[in-house]
Amino acid sequence: MSSNKTVGKKEDKMRISFDLDEVLFVYPETHKTEPPLKFPFNKIYKERLRYGTPELINKLQEMGYEVWVYTSSYRTEKYIKNLFKHYGVKFDGIVNAMRHIKEVQRDSATTLPQKLPSMYRISLHIDDESIVCSLGRQYGYRAYQLTDQDDEWQEKIIKRAEEIRHLNELEELENAPQ
Ligand SMILES: [Mg+2]
């Protein structure tokens, strides 16, 4: 697909990350959701996925994006992996609170933002929190804010991702040695 690309050292795929709480995990009272898992898995994994989540993640990966989770929650990587496996989703990377503290915050004297997608070369992060989205400019990542039920969330995120991928490609061309 991109074999005829003439610039760039590596065929790096663009990375997109999703927050979990209030973004991919929502409540049936306020959002359309995917069906719960069958017994006994519904007793282990109680979170409900925003309707269309598996379809969107798989679609983005088919389109050549890496899809990550970036959450401030302490759910383990294993828990997140297994939950999504039941819905046919496999993420390319997972950053939870433990990993963020270990790899991003480390022993910095100042408290860094709760998420720093640019540290993981993530170009687009989807989050419900305004603060996370507004810090993007300062910390070098782009964000898409998603909170409410939106029947067109898949199309909107794909559109945003395509715009950013295009911008990144242009930037790469600009920076290519003459
Ligand atoms: Mg959230």
Side-chain angles (χ1 to χ4, degrees):
M1 204 169 68
S2 54
S3 55
N4 59 351
K5 248 175 92 183
T6 51
V7 285
K9 336 113 243 134
K10 272 204 295 174
E11 294 294 324
D12 288 329
K13 290 182 175 179
M14 184 178 125
R15 285 183 184 164
I16 303 172
S17 62
F18 287 85
D19 173 32
L20 290 181
D21 292 294
E22 326 296 333
V23 172
L24 297 187
F25 295 161
V26 292
Y27 299 97
E29 292 77 19
T30 48
H31 291 75
K32 293 183 190 169
T33 54
E34 292 288 327
L37 295 172
K38 303 245 181 321
F39 181 84
F41 301 111
N42 60 346
K43 300 291 164 199
I44 307 168
Y45 307 106
K46 297 194 170 72
E47 289 90 349
R48 297 292 297 275
L49 294 191
R50 183 184 287 263
Y51 183 73
T53 294
E55 195 187 29
L56 176 61
I57 309 297
N58 288 323
K59 174 100 194 273
L60 287 168
Q61 288 172 329
E62 273 167 31
M63 292 174 74
Y65 295 101
E66 273 194 20
V67 184
W68 287 46
V69 161
Y70 201 148
T71 173
S72 308
S73 87
Y74 285 85
R75 293 181 187 89
T76 64
E77 188 180 332
K78 188 177 163 208
Y79 179 92
I80 296 167
K81 244 187 218 170
N82 288 340
L83 186 165
F84 280 93
K85 197 160 75 183
H86 287 284
Y87 286 97
V89 170
K90 190 174 183 289
F91 287 106
D92 298 290
I94 294 172
V95 182
N96 59 10
M98 285 86 90
R99 183 169 174 189
H100 172 90
I101 290 165
K102 196 167 145 233
E103 297 178 351
V104 182
Q105 180 59 43
R106 296 196 288 176
D107 43 15
S108 298
T110 50
T111 303
L112 292 169
Q114 52 164 314
K115 286 171 189 162
L116 218 48
S118 37
M119 278 285 291
Y120 295 97
R121 208 177 48 77
I122 290 164
S123 301
L124 172 63
H125 174 69
I126 294 105
D127 210 286
D128 62 301
E129 288 188 40
S130 308
I131 181 73
V132 174
C133 295
S134 61
L135 285 174
R137 188 173 288 272
Q138 188 182 341
Y139 288 97
Y141 61 91
R142 290 187 170 88
Y144 180 89
Q145 192 170 13
L146 177 67
T147 47
D148 302 337
Q149 166 61 35
D150 181 356
D151 288 345
E152 284 160 27
W153 74 291
Q154 295 170 306
E155 293 88 328
K156 288 177 183 169
I157 288 170
I158 288 171
K159 187 167 170 267
R160 191 75 189 105
E162 294 281 83
E163 282 167 5
I164 293 167
R165 184 154 68 175
H166 185 61
L167 280 173
N168 288 350
E169 281 168 3
L170 285 177
E171 219 166 85
E172 221 178 300
L173 273 170
E174 286 296 314
N175 297 330
Q178 299 301 308

XYZ file of all heavy atoms in Angstrom, residues 49-134:
713
model
N -19.270 -1.497 26.419
C -18.581 -0.762 25.351
C -19.530 0.159 24.597
O -20.663 -0.209 24.314
C -17.987 -1.744 24.332
C -16.866 -2.671 24.763
C -16.268 -3.356 23.547
C -15.804 -1.920 25.519
N -19.031 1.324 24.269
C -19.773 2.237 23.397
C -20.120 1.487 22.109
O -19.285 0.768 21.557
C -18.912 3.461 23.080
C -19.606 4.523 22.241
C -18.646 5.645 21.906
N -18.361 6.496 23.060
C -18.981 7.654 23.321
N -19.921 8.105 22.513
N -18.645 8.368 24.381
N -21.332 1.670 21.663
C -21.792 0.956 20.484
C -20.930 1.296 19.262
O -20.712 2.465 18.958
C -23.265 1.286 20.196
C -23.825 0.529 19.024
C -24.095 -0.839 19.143
C -24.049 1.153 17.805
C -24.588 -1.552 18.064
C -24.543 0.446 16.718
C -24.805 -0.905 16.853
O -25.281 -1.613 15.786
N -20.423 0.247 18.616
C -19.600 0.457 17.428
C -18.102 0.416 17.704
O -17.306 0.539 16.775
N -17.727 0.213 18.969
C -16.298 0.193 19.325
C -15.507 -0.883 18.563
O -14.512 -0.552 17.909
C -16.113 0.035 20.852
O -16.623 1.194 21.505
C -14.652 -0.148 21.233
N -15.919 -2.151 18.610
C -15.111 -3.164 17.921
C -14.982 -2.875 16.431
O -13.903 -2.996 15.859
C -15.891 -4.468 18.157
C -16.736 -4.205 19.361
C -17.083 -2.756 19.293
N -16.075 -2.436 15.840
C -16.068 -2.147 14.409
C -15.077 -1.026 14.079
O -14.281 -1.142 13.143
C -17.487 -1.743 13.983
C -17.699 -1.756 12.492
C -19.061 -1.193 12.093
O -19.607 -0.326 12.810
O -19.566 -1.616 11.053
N -15.111 0.042 14.882
C -14.224 1.182 14.624
C -12.749 0.822 14.806
O -11.913 1.144 13.961
C -14.583 2.375 15.521
C -13.663 3.593 15.395
C -13.665 4.168 13.970
C -14.021 4.670 16.402
N -12.426 0.128 15.894
C -11.017 -0.225 16.151
C -10.487 -1.117 15.020
O -9.391 -0.875 14.491
C -10.849 -0.966 17.503
C -11.510 -0.214 18.658
C -9.371 -1.270 17.795
C -10.980 1.130 18.973
N -11.277 -2.114 14.659
C -10.840 -3.011 13.590
C -10.693 -2.275 12.262
O -9.754 -2.519 11.508
C -11.813 -4.190 13.451
C -11.680 -5.167 14.613
O -10.575 -5.414 15.102
N -12.780 -5.698 15.084
N -11.608 -1.371 12.004
C -11.571 -0.599 10.769
C -10.307 0.259 10.717
O -9.607 0.293 9.702
C -12.830 0.279 10.696
C -12.906 1.253 9.544
C -13.772 0.706 8.430
C -13.613 1.460 7.124
N -14.489 2.621 7.002
N -10.003 0.945 11.819
C -8.815 1.806 11.858
C -7.547 0.982 11.630
O -6.643 1.403 10.909
C -8.739 2.557 13.194
C -9.747 3.702 13.392
C -9.754 4.168 14.846
C -9.453 4.873 12.462
N -7.506 -0.196 12.220
C -6.323 -1.052 12.033
C -6.234 -1.535 10.581
O -5.151 -1.577 10.011
C -6.352 -2.217 13.027
C -6.050 -1.740 14.454
C -6.246 -2.814 15.506
O -7.096 -3.695 15.349
N -5.481 -2.739 16.586
N -7.371 -1.853 9.998
C -7.382 -2.243 8.575
C -6.893 -1.104 7.686
O -6.287 -1.330 6.642
C -8.809 -2.585 8.131
C -9.211 -4.022 8.367
C -10.722 -4.198 8.213
O -11.339 -3.460 7.408
O -11.285 -5.049 8.926
N -7.203 0.128 8.116
C -6.799 1.297 7.338
C -5.327 1.634 7.537
O -4.820 2.586 6.942
C -7.648 2.517 7.737
C -9.100 2.402 7.334
S -10.087 3.783 7.995
C -9.561 5.118 6.921
N -4.650 0.867 8.371
C -3.209 1.062 8.538
C -2.806 1.901 9.739
O -1.674 2.380 9.801
N -3.711 2.081 10.675
C -3.368 2.797 11.911
C -3.047 1.803 13.015
O -3.575 0.694 13.035
C -4.547 3.658 12.382
C -4.908 4.773 11.453
C -5.987 4.655 10.587
C -4.170 5.953 11.445
C -6.331 5.690 9.722
C -4.508 6.990 10.580
C -5.587 6.852 9.725
O -5.909 7.877 8.873
N -2.191 2.251 13.943
C -2.031 1.509 15.192
C -3.037 2.081 16.165
O -3.180 3.305 16.267
C -0.629 1.720 15.772
C 0.387 0.756 15.245
C 1.664 0.762 16.093
O 1.638 1.206 17.261
O 2.680 0.318 15.556
N -3.723 1.218 16.890
C -4.698 1.710 17.860
C -4.283 1.298 19.268
O -4.052 0.113 19.542
C -6.126 1.223 17.545
C -7.120 1.841 18.523
C -6.515 1.572 16.109
N -4.152 2.307 20.133
C -3.720 2.108 21.509
C -4.816 2.507 22.495
O -5.747 3.224 22.136
C -2.497 2.995 21.803
C -1.211 2.534 21.170
C -1.021 2.123 19.876
C 0.073 2.474 21.816
N 0.307 1.818 19.674
C 0.998 2.024 20.845
C 0.520 2.770 23.100
C 2.350 1.843 21.136
C 1.870 2.592 23.379
C 2.767 2.132 22.420
N -4.654 2.033 23.727
C -5.458 2.527 24.840
C -4.549 3.407 25.677
O -3.393 3.050 25.918
C -5.982 1.353 25.700
C -6.414 1.824 27.085
C -7.137 0.650 25.012
N -5.054 4.572 26.078
C -4.311 5.411 27.033
C -5.307 5.812 28.111
O -6.179 6.643 27.883
C -3.720 6.635 26.341
C -2.552 7.285 27.080
C -1.530 7.899 26.375
C -2.480 7.275 28.476
C -0.452 8.492 27.032
C -1.408 7.861 29.140
C -0.399 8.472 28.422
O 0.657 9.054 29.070
N -5.195 5.174 29.259
C -6.141 5.387 30.348
C -5.420 5.788 31.626
O -4.287 5.371 31.851
C -6.972 4.106 30.607
O -7.783 4.283 31.775
C -6.087 2.883 30.808
N -6.087 6.582 32.445
C -5.522 6.931 33.745
C -6.014 5.964 34.810
O -5.796 6.184 36.001
C -5.931 8.344 34.159
O -5.642 9.233 33.135
N -6.667 4.920 34.385
C -7.178 3.951 35.361
C -6.108 2.907 35.678
O -5.118 2.777 34.963
C -8.442 3.267 34.837
O -8.124 2.135 34.067
N -6.334 2.207 36.758
C -5.377 1.195 37.210
C -5.748 -0.210 36.763
O -5.187 -1.181 37.237
C -5.237 1.255 38.741
C -4.422 2.454 39.184
C -5.011 3.694 39.361
C -3.048 2.331 39.389
C -4.267 4.800 39.744
C -2.290 3.428 39.771
C -2.910 4.663 39.951
O -2.152 5.745 40.315
N -6.689 -0.324 35.837
C -6.992 -1.654 35.311
C -5.699 -2.217 34.705
O -4.957 -1.478 34.041
C -8.045 -1.574 34.207
C -9.423 -1.147 34.680
C -10.372 -1.145 33.482
N -11.666 -0.584 33.825
C -11.963 0.711 33.739
N -11.055 1.578 33.345
N -13.168 1.135 34.056
N -5.463 -3.502 34.923
C -4.213 -4.065 34.414
C -4.286 -4.257 32.897
O -5.373 -4.343 32.315
C -3.902 -5.433 35.056
O -4.926 -6.351 34.660
C -3.837 -5.338 36.575
N -3.093 -4.365 32.307
C -3.014 -4.580 30.870
C -3.721 -5.892 30.501
O -4.428 -5.965 29.499
C -1.539 -4.635 30.456
C -1.355 -4.654 28.967
C 0.110 -4.719 28.547
O 0.982 -4.246 29.307
O 0.374 -5.241 27.452
N -3.524 -6.889 31.361
C -4.117 -8.202 31.108
C -5.650 -8.125 31.108
O -6.313 -8.700 30.241
C -3.636 -9.176 32.195
C -4.013 -10.600 31.934
C -3.446 -11.526 33.001
C -4.186 -12.845 32.950
N -4.215 -13.504 34.247
N -6.191 -7.395 32.071
C -7.638 -7.237 32.162
C -8.193 -6.556 30.905
O -9.158 -7.011 30.299
C -7.990 -6.426 33.415
C -9.469 -6.181 33.599
C -10.251 -7.061 34.344
C -10.097 -5.069 33.019
C -11.618 -6.846 34.502
C -11.460 -4.837 33.173
C -12.209 -5.728 33.913
O -13.558 -5.513 34.065
N -7.538 -5.475 30.501
C -7.999 -4.720 29.333
C -7.905 -5.595 28.072
O -8.843 -5.677 27.285
C -7.168 -3.418 29.167
C -7.404 -2.496 30.377
C -7.512 -2.698 27.868
C -6.423 -1.330 30.500
N -6.765 -6.272 27.930
C -6.562 -7.152 26.776
C -7.646 -8.214 26.681
O -8.234 -8.440 25.631
C -5.213 -7.864 26.940
C -4.204 -7.520 25.895
C -2.997 -8.412 26.066
C -1.756 -7.614 25.797
N -0.520 -8.294 26.145
N -7.876 -8.880 27.813
C -8.836 -9.984 27.820
C -10.266 -9.522 27.592
O -11.022 -10.168 26.866
C -8.734 -10.778 29.124
C -7.454 -11.600 29.165
O -6.848 -11.861 28.120
N -7.031 -11.983 30.350
N -10.612 -8.413 28.200
C -11.968 -7.890 27.990
C -12.215 -7.668 26.499
O -13.218 -8.122 25.941
C -12.125 -6.579 28.761
C -13.490 -5.890 28.834
C -13.468 -4.844 29.945
C -13.947 -5.239 27.557
N -11.283 -6.982 25.856
C -11.479 -6.641 24.449
C -11.358 -7.852 23.530
O -11.944 -7.878 22.452
C -10.536 -5.510 24.024
C -11.034 -4.151 24.435
C -10.636 -3.585 25.640
C -11.937 -3.463 23.643
C -11.121 -2.338 26.035
C -12.421 -2.212 24.018
C -12.017 -1.647 25.228
N -10.594 -8.836 23.971
C -10.465 -10.064 23.177
C -11.842 -10.706 22.969
O -12.137 -11.245 21.909
C -9.511 -11.034 23.883
C -8.999 -12.138 22.974
C -7.742 -12.761 23.528
C -8.070 -13.680 24.694
N -6.850 -14.248 25.308
N -12.678 -10.598 23.984
C -14.031 -11.153 23.877
C -14.875 -10.431 22.837
O -15.896 -10.943 22.402
C -14.743 -11.106 25.240
C -14.222 -12.120 26.202
N -14.539 -13.461 26.115
C -13.391 -12.006 27.268
C -13.933 -14.120 27.085
N -13.228 -13.266 27.798
N -14.457 -9.234 22.471
C -15.185 -8.479 21.450
C -14.432 -8.476 20.121
O -14.761 -7.718 19.208
C -15.401 -7.034 21.921
C -16.468 -6.898 22.987
C -16.124 -6.834 24.335
C -17.822 -6.847 22.643
C -17.103 -6.707 25.319
C -18.807 -6.730 23.616
C -18.433 -6.651 24.953
O -19.408 -6.531 25.915
N -13.382 -9.299 20.027
C -12.637 -9.405 18.777
C -11.738 -8.221 18.497
O -11.487 -7.886 17.338
N -11.255 -7.577 19.559
C -10.394 -6.407 19.403
C -9.026 -6.677 20.017
O -8.925 -7.182 21.132
C -11.020 -5.166 20.090
C -10.023 -4.006 20.156
C -12.290 -4.741 19.375
N -7.964 -6.333 19.265
C -6.609 -6.475 19.777
C -5.886 -5.133 19.604
O -5.643 -4.699 18.479
C -5.869 -7.573 19.003
C -4.545 -7.967 19.609
C -3.959 -9.155 18.859
C -2.659 -9.621 19.492
N -1.536 -8.698 19.296
N -5.561 -4.501 20.724
C -4.878 -3.208 20.659
C -3.398 -3.383 20.353
O -2.810 -4.402 20.682
C -5.047 -2.456 21.975
C -6.440 -1.917 22.178
C -7.304 -2.518 23.078
C -6.888 -0.824 21.442
C -8.600 -2.036 23.245
C -8.178 -0.338 21.604
C -9.035 -0.946 22.514
N -2.809 -2.358 19.751
C -1.378 -2.390 19.437
C -0.532 -1.970 20.626
O 0.667 -2.221 20.655
C -1.099 -1.472 18.245
C -1.832 -1.939 16.992
O -1.440 -2.982 16.441
O -2.821 -1.299 16.593
N -1.151 -1.320 21.593
C -0.428 -0.910 22.792
C -1.408 -0.454 23.848
O -2.510 -0.007 23.519
N -1.006 -0.585 25.112
C -1.871 -0.172 26.215
C -1.039 0.608 27.225
O -0.007 0.130 27.691
C -2.517 -1.403 26.904
C -3.485 -2.103 25.928
C -3.244 -0.992 28.202
C -4.042 -3.424 26.425
N -1.491 1.823 27.540
C -0.853 2.598 28.603
C -1.892 2.806 29.695
O -2.940 3.392 29.449
C -0.354 3.978 28.101
C 0.357 4.725 29.226
C 0.556 3.821 26.890
N -1.621 2.271 30.871
C -2.518 2.484 32.012
C -1.782 3.369 33.019
O -0.665 3.831 32.768
C -2.957 1.144 32.620
C -1.780 0.316 33.104
O -0.644 0.799 33.154
N -2.037 -0.937 33.467
N -2.421 3.621 34.165
C -1.818 4.529 35.147
C -0.444 4.040 35.600
O 0.489 4.835 35.733
C -2.749 4.697 36.342
N -0.290 2.748 35.804
C 0.993 2.203 36.266
C 2.104 2.481 35.251
O 3.196 2.912 35.622
C 0.909 0.679 36.488
C 0.169 0.249 37.726
S -1.631 0.128 37.451
C -1.825 -1.565 36.937
N 1.804 2.210 33.994
C 2.811 2.414 32.953
C 3.152 3.899 32.801
O 4.319 4.255 32.618
C 2.306 1.830 31.621
C 3.338 1.938 30.521
C 2.966 1.149 29.290
N 3.930 1.420 28.222
C 3.800 1.018 26.963
N 2.739 0.295 26.610
N 4.707 1.295 26.059
N 2.116 4.742 32.874
C 2.323 6.188 32.769
C 3.243 6.684 33.888
O 4.176 7.447 33.650
C 0.967 6.908 32.822
C 1.085 8.395 32.901
N 1.138 9.198 31.781
C 1.171 9.237 33.969
C 1.251 10.462 32.160
N 1.269 10.520 33.474
N 2.997 6.226 35.097
C 3.810 6.653 36.240
C 5.254 6.193 36.056
O 6.199 6.941 36.282
C 3.215 6.120 37.572
C 1.888 6.851 37.868
C 4.200 6.273 38.726
C 1.031 6.196 38.934
N 5.405 4.959 35.599
C 6.731 4.371 35.439
C 7.513 5.008 34.285
O 8.705 5.279 34.412
C 6.563 2.869 35.182
C 7.807 2.060 35.379
C 7.467 0.569 35.405
C 8.583 -0.211 34.770
N 8.164 -1.114 33.693
N 6.837 5.245 33.161
C 7.561 5.671 31.965
C 7.470 7.169 31.671
O 8.361 7.719 31.037
C 7.051 4.891 30.744
C 7.311 3.398 30.868
C 6.778 2.595 29.697
O 6.049 3.152 28.852
O 7.071 1.396 29.635
N 6.388 7.803 32.100
C 6.216 9.226 31.784
C 6.520 10.102 32.990
O 7.404 10.947 32.951
C 4.795 9.519 31.250
C 4.652 10.992 30.879
C 4.470 8.637 30.043
N 5.814 9.888 34.060
C 6.001 10.730 35.246
C 7.363 10.482 35.889
O 8.089 11.397 36.231
C 4.868 10.477 36.248
C 4.966 11.299 37.535
C 4.972 12.818 37.286
O 4.213 13.325 36.480
N 5.863 13.529 37.972
N 7.719 9.231 36.035
C 8.983 8.798 36.659
C 9.297 9.634 37.898
O 8.451 9.782 38.755
C 10.114 8.826 35.629
C 9.832 7.822 34.515
C 11.022 7.526 33.700
N 11.377 8.650 32.852
C 12.432 8.698 32.072
N 13.280 7.699 32.062
N 12.654 9.726 31.314
N 10.505 10.182 37.961
C 10.817 10.947 39.176
C 10.848 12.453 38.926
O 11.553 13.189 39.595
C 12.124 10.462 39.809
C 13.200 10.222 38.768
O 13.021 10.707 37.628
O 14.205 9.569 39.086
N 10.054 12.870 37.943
C 9.972 14.314 37.685
C 9.514 15.059 38.934
O 8.596 14.623 39.615
C 8.967 14.606 36.570
O 9.361 14.022 35.377
N 10.194 16.172 39.209
C 9.832 16.963 40.383
C 8.460 17.601 40.179
O 7.675 17.730 41.111
C 10.876 18.032 40.631
N 8.181 18.001 38.918
C 6.877 18.590 38.636
C 5.902 17.497 38.220
O 6.297 16.507 37.619
C 6.975 19.606 37.485
O 7.664 18.969 36.416
C 7.718 20.860 37.904
N 4.653 17.711 38.562
C 3.640 16.741 38.154
C 3.269 17.003 36.702
O 2.838 18.092 36.345
C 2.393 16.860 39.046
O 2.812 16.673 40.394
C 1.361 15.806 38.687
N 3.470 16.005 35.885
C 3.140 16.136 34.469
C 1.639 15.884 34.294
O 0.979 15.383 35.194
C 3.958 15.122 33.667
C 5.464 15.401 33.633
C 6.210 14.201 33.056
C 5.765 16.653 32.817
N 1.095 16.237 33.114
C -0.329 15.957 32.878
C -0.628 14.463 33.047
O 0.272 13.639 32.921
C -0.532 16.369 31.419
C 0.586 17.270 31.098
C 1.734 16.876 31.966
N -1.885 14.152 33.329
C -2.260 12.755 33.586
C -2.062 11.860 32.367
O -1.987 10.636 32.487
C -3.699 12.668 34.083
C -4.711 13.384 33.205
C -6.137 12.978 33.500
O -6.442 11.809 33.622
N -7.011 13.965 33.627
N -1.992 12.489 31.188
C -1.717 11.737 29.963
C -0.779 12.537 29.089
O -0.919 13.755 28.985
C -3.011 11.475 29.187
C -3.882 10.420 29.825
C -5.233 10.313 29.185
C -6.110 9.396 30.029
N -7.539 9.572 29.731
N 0.152 11.850 28.449
C 1.092 12.524 27.559
C 1.275 11.680 26.289
O 2.300 11.028 26.107
C 2.419 12.706 28.295
C 3.200 13.995 28.062
C 2.334 15.236 28.166
C 4.355 14.091 29.031
N 0.258 11.695 25.435
C 0.269 10.807 24.261
C 1.512 10.983 23.393
O 1.992 10.014 22.798
C -0.999 11.208 23.508
C -1.907 11.759 24.564
C -1.002 12.450 25.527
N 2.046 12.219 23.341
C 3.215 12.450 22.489
C 4.427 11.635 22.920
O 5.281 11.304 22.115
C 3.550 13.939 22.462
O 3.318 14.529 23.719
N 4.496 11.269 24.207
C 5.584 10.421 24.704
C 5.595 9.061 24.018
O 6.599 8.373 23.979
C 5.430 10.184 26.206
C 5.947 11.298 27.072
S 7.751 11.341 27.150
C 8.114 9.851 28.092
N 4.430 8.665 23.536
C 4.316 7.356 22.875
C 4.129 7.497 21.360
O 3.666 6.584 20.706
C 3.163 6.557 23.498
C 3.435 6.209 24.940
C 2.931 6.983 25.968
C 4.240 5.109 25.270
C 3.208 6.687 27.298
C 4.523 4.801 26.585
C 4.002 5.600 27.593
O 4.293 5.293 28.908
N 4.488 8.665 20.860
C 4.373 8.928 19.417
C 2.928 8.751 18.928
O 2.676 8.314 17.812
C 5.337 8.020 18.622
C 5.806 8.607 17.298
C 6.812 7.712 16.587
N 6.432 6.302 16.498
C 5.545 5.809 15.640
N 4.907 6.609 14.809
N 5.292 4.516 15.613
N 1.982 9.112 19.809
C 0.569 9.033 19.437
C 0.164 10.367 18.810
O 0.378 11.421 19.402
C -0.294 8.720 20.689
C -0.027 7.276 21.144
C -1.776 8.962 20.413
C -0.496 6.972 22.557
N -0.385 10.314 17.611
C -0.720 11.552 16.897
C -2.123 12.059 17.195
O -2.409 13.235 17.049
C -0.603 11.336 15.387
O 0.686 10.931 15.050
N -3.013 11.144 17.542
C -4.394 11.525 17.831
C -4.884 10.749 19.045
O -4.804 9.520 19.069
C -5.294 11.224 16.622
C -6.807 11.382 16.830
C -7.180 12.824 17.165
C -7.570 10.928 15.581
N -5.359 11.491 20.047
C -5.882 10.854 21.254
C -7.345 11.242 21.433
O -7.700 12.418 21.304
C -5.062 11.273 22.477
C -5.629 10.777 23.769
N -5.634 9.439 24.111
C -6.253 11.429 24.783
C -6.229 9.302 25.297
N -6.615 10.489 25.716
N -8.173 10.271 21.740
C -9.606 10.525 21.931
C -9.930 10.431 23.410
O -9.663 9.399 24.042
C -10.464 9.538 21.100
C -10.238 9.800 19.606
C -11.948 9.719 21.409
C -9.387 8.812 18.931
N -10.512 11.520 23.950
C -10.745 11.602 25.388
C -12.017 12.380 25.672
O -12.438 13.202 24.861
C -9.556 12.309 26.052
C -9.314 11.836 27.476
O -10.105 12.221 28.376
O -8.347 11.078 27.693
N -12.615 12.139 26.830
C -13.823 12.897 27.190
C -13.458 14.170 27.955
O -14.280 15.081 28.061
C -14.777 12.053 28.025
C -14.170 11.626 29.351
O -13.118 10.946 29.321
O -14.722 11.983 30.408
N -12.259 14.238 28.500
C -11.927 15.366 29.367
C -11.345 16.560 28.613
O -10.351 16.430 27.905
C -10.955 14.915 30.456
C -11.660 14.030 31.475
C -10.792 13.722 32.678
O -10.078 14.630 33.135
O -10.839 12.568 33.138
N -11.960 17.729 28.850
C -11.524 18.958 28.168
C -10.068 19.268 28.462
O -9.326 19.689 27.574
C -12.363 20.149 28.618
O -13.716 19.844 28.478
N -9.652 19.051 29.693
C -8.279 19.382 30.076
C -7.273 18.555 29.274
O -6.276 19.081 28.779
C -8.055 19.250 31.610
C -6.625 19.613 32.019
C -8.427 17.882 32.155
C -6.322 21.093 31.959
N -7.555 17.279 29.107
C -6.659 16.409 28.335
C -6.607 16.881 26.887
O -5.539 16.941 26.272
C -7.132 14.930 28.407
C -6.289 14.056 27.497
C -7.076 14.417 29.840
N -7.757 17.261 26.364
C -7.813 17.692 24.970
C -7.126 19.042 24.773
O -6.401 19.239 23.806
C -9.259 17.761 24.501
S -10.039 16.132 24.477
N -7.322 19.954 25.737
C -6.760 21.291 25.544
C -5.253 21.336 25.768
O -4.577 22.234 25.272
C -7.462 22.302 26.449
O -7.280 21.935 27.791
